[in-house]
Amino acid sequence: MTSPFDLAAEAATFLRNRFDGSHDIVAVLGSGWADAIDMLGSGDRCPIGDVPGFKKPSALGHGGEAVSITVGTSRVLVLTGRTHLYEGYGVAPVAHGVRTAAALGCGVAVITNGAGVLREDWKIAEPVMISDHINLTGHSPLTGENPPAPFAGRFVDLTDAYSKRLRAIANRAVPMNEGVYLGLHGPHYETPAEIRAARSWGADLVGMSTVLDVIAARHVGLEVLGLSLPTNLAAGISPTPLSGEEVIAVGKRAAARAGAVLRDVLVAIDAAN
Ligand code: 8IG
């Protein structure tokens, strides 16, 4: 069987040929963010299912493309249509995007998601930065075959998983609230009791992605910025039941704002690098 790292190298070779060269930054667009791509300018596009190792997207509210755009002097690989753990393919396809990006030369990963929010003082549809995470998926992308050099080995330090340097750069460009993201397996939403527990553990946001991408990204040496789009109040805080359709509708309404934030953040990272 091909190792996940060989498969990522194969995907990177495919993208290097398709998009004519290495890239500097990868942006993973989660739910609510995929339509933001229109604000980033035009670029070469490729269906994500054509790239080795990527699944055809199935999740609601996710696109399904690899797009190459230029921001200042940086080449940015934009990935929409991420694979979620709850789709049942295991952790390797979840980690494949950031591993491919690292193999393509990227040094920075901007990882975005749509999330439930536990704080009533935060505005729905106004992007926030992730300062840290709690991984309650019960999984790690670093199990299985011991990854080869040059990677750090499987005992990856996550003390500064969400780069202080990138958060300072992003916050100067777009002042944003900052909070802790709790990552769960899904695809069901939480019970009100789970959200009360999450609150007491220090979570501000809750979702079904990002944490495994970030662990895999740190493992291959990427510097990470995490951005969340709060699309709903979490269960029990929300006065109404949660629905996937409502979450997508909020994401669509927020696309222009999310796109402007992402563009300004990418411009600032390019200028600082
Ligand atoms: I968008 O409230 C979005 N994704 N687990 N809970 C979880 N994932 C989410 C939520 C939410 N909203």
Side-chain angles (χ1 to χ4, degrees):
M1 218 185 88
T2 316
S3 93
F5 300 92
D6 291 341
L7 193 55
E10 207 182 300
T13 298
F14 176 96
L15 289 171
R16 197 175 275 115
N17 291 333
R18 183 70 182 69
F19 291 149
D20 196 23
S22 292
H23 287 62
D24 306 295
I25 301 172
V26 62
V28 179
L29 303 195
S31 51
W33 293 85
D35 291 340
I37 208 166
D38 300 333
M39 304 276 303
L40 298 177
S42 58
D44 233 351
R45 314 171 88 101
C46 168
I48 198 80
D50 290 359
V51 187
F54 285 87
K55 306 282 177 195
K56 288 203 171 59
S58 72
L60 278 175
H62 293 257
E65 286 184 310
V67 186
S68 176
I69 61 162
T70 300
V71 175
T73 61
S74 297
R75 298 198 70 193
V76 183
L77 175 71
V78 183
L79 299 175
T80 69
R82 67 145 56 90
T83 301
H84 292 81
L85 190 60
Y86 61 70
E87 292 173 66
Y89 301 116
V91 291
V94 176
H96 187 56
V98 292
R99 285 175 176 157
T100 296
L104 190 60
C106 294
V108 167
V110 178
I111 299 184
T112 69
N113 59 51
V117 61
L118 281 70
R119 297 186 50 151
E120 285 160 289
D121 57 325
W122 286 3
K123 279 217 313 252
I124 296 298
E126 179 60 28
V128 299
M129 283 191 300
I130 302 174
S131 57
D132 205 345
H133 78 216
I134 301 170
N135 173 15
L136 278 185
T137 65
H139 290 264
S140 167
L142 307 182
T143 52
E145 184 181 332
N146 203 3
F151 304 130
R154 51 168 40 131
F155 302 105
V156 172
D157 177 67
L158 296 175
T159 308
D160 282 310
Y162 298 83
S163 161
K164 281 201 179 73
R165 184 184 83 91
L166 293 179
R167 278 150 60 198
I169 290 166
N171 203 44
R172 269 197 299 278
V174 187
M176 281 178 274
N177 286 320
E178 202 176 56
V180 172
Y181 177 92
L182 170 65
L184 296 168
H185 189 293
H188 51 276
Y189 292 122
E190 296 68 39
T191 64
E194 286 166 344
I195 293 300
R196 284 193 298 276
R199 201 181 232 176
S200 79
W201 294 336
D204 302 298
L205 300 152
V206 62
M208 306 175 194
S209 68
T210 302
V211 296
L212 302 180
D213 313 39
V214 170
I215 295 167
R218 295 301 298 144
H219 175 249
V220 293
L222 295 175
E223 205 181 356
V224 172
L225 181 73
L227 299 175
S228 272
L229 183 69
T231 57
N232 58 279
L233 286 170
I237 302 174
S238 171
T240 55
L242 308 190
S243 96
E245 287 70 25
E246 184 208 313
V247 156
I248 288 164
V250 172
K252 285 216 184 308
R253 263 182 277 134
R257 173 66 185 151
V261 168
L262 184 61
R263 183 196 55 209
D264 292 352
V265 164
L266 289 172
V267 166
I269 292 173
D270 166 70
N273 276 10

